[in-house]
Amino acid sequence: MTDPLLWSVDETARQLGNISRRTVERLLATGKLRPVKIGRRRMVDPKSARALVTNNALGDTSSGAAVLEITPCQKPESATKTVSSSGRTRRTGGPRRPTDSADRLAAVLNHESREALISRARFRSTWCPGSSWVFARKDGTRIVSVKVGFASCVKSAGLADIHPHDLRRTFGSWLVQAGVGIDRVSKLLRHGDVAITARVYAHLRPSDLSEAVAVLDRTGPTVSRSGFTFADSSLNRDS
């Protein structure tokens, strides 16, 4: 019988903020988590997991970024079917369920975002270790909406007419203004088409085209009229 004072790999992943099983395996391999052998099963000492949260040592922070696995949700097959005026069938109603692991997404987090998640894991470990939610109240119940908390932050900052979606727009705007390429910004925002990103954010970098053309003035390999690139300009001759 499994010792209730020990955690399985899956339970450890859940307790550490729903991190991936692969991350738990890596923490075990590097000695940051202490494994305990029970027969053929490998369990985890919860004390070592709690120490990770307390010491803020969940992974390498040298790069200032981390990757979080996200499992998208979809509606079940039993959801109600309705037909729109265009004749297309769509599903409505019913609870959502996680999709297959193959559909998992990866969200890249900066240092502050990662710290926020670790703070929530620390909160849950202290007040409601049995809760399955990352954003939970002290009694372990899920925080369903951020509207009240968001409105309070907006008021404290002395702002007005600010909505949660404005944070997304700010995210994209700051990236573009910092020189991040539109294609990468599009991927981070999960736009279906890079043209959408360009239409909304490209005006924030009007110097992009002039900077691109200026590349031709830099010292480096020359380009022949036929399109071949030579390291030595003496080889760049028209035949």
Side-chain angles (χ1 to χ4, degrees), residues 91-236:
R91 300 180 185 276
T92 60
R96 292 178 177 269
R97 63 177 176 80
T99 60
D100 296 334
S101 57
D103 296 325
R104 288 180 181 270
L105 304 176
V108 182
L109 307 177
N110 67 347
H111 182 72
E112 291 185 9
S113 300
R114 183 177 172 280
E115 288 296 311
L117 286 180
I118 291 176
S119 174
R120 295 307 306 177
R122 188 181 295 115
F123 175 92
R124 186 177 63 178
S125 178
T126 302
W127 296 101
C128 49
S131 176
S132 59
W133 303 108
V134 175
F135 296 94
R137 299 182 176 86
K138 287 185 177 181
D139 62 0
T141 57
R142 175 189 177 191
I143 297 177
V144 179
S145 174
V146 299
K147 290 183 179 179
V148 175
F150 184 83
S152 177
C153 291
V154 169
K155 184 177 180 180
S156 298
L159 302 174
D161 195 26
I162 301 296
H163 309 281
H165 189 74
D166 293 323
L167 299 179
R168 176 180 172 86
R169 286 292 181 88
T170 301
F171 171 80
S173 298
W174 283 2
L175 288 175
V176 172
Q177 289 172 335
V180 179
I182 288 292
D183 56 336
R184 288 197 290 169
V185 175
S186 181
K187 290 179 180 179
L188 288 168
L189 290 172
R190 302 202 180 283
H191 283 162
D193 189 341
V194 71
I196 298 174
T197 317
R199 184 171 65 248
V200 177
Y201 298 99
H203 70 281
L204 298 172
R205 288 279 295 174
S207 62
D208 269 359
L209 294 180
S210 59
E211 290 177 359
V213 175
V215 170
L216 299 176
D217 297 326
R218 298 175 186 173
T219 303
T222 59
V223 180
S224 69
R225 292 181 182 178
S226 59
F228 292 99
T229 302
F230 300 107
D232 185 353
S233 58
S234 64
L235 298 176
N236 185 19

Side-chain angles (χ1 to χ4, degrees), residues 58-78:
L58 277 173
D60 182 14
T61 59
S62 58
S63 63
V67 176
L68 173 70
E69 283 191 357
I70 299 176
T71 303
C73 290
Q74 64 182 12
K75 294 178 181 178
E77 295 299 321
S78 59

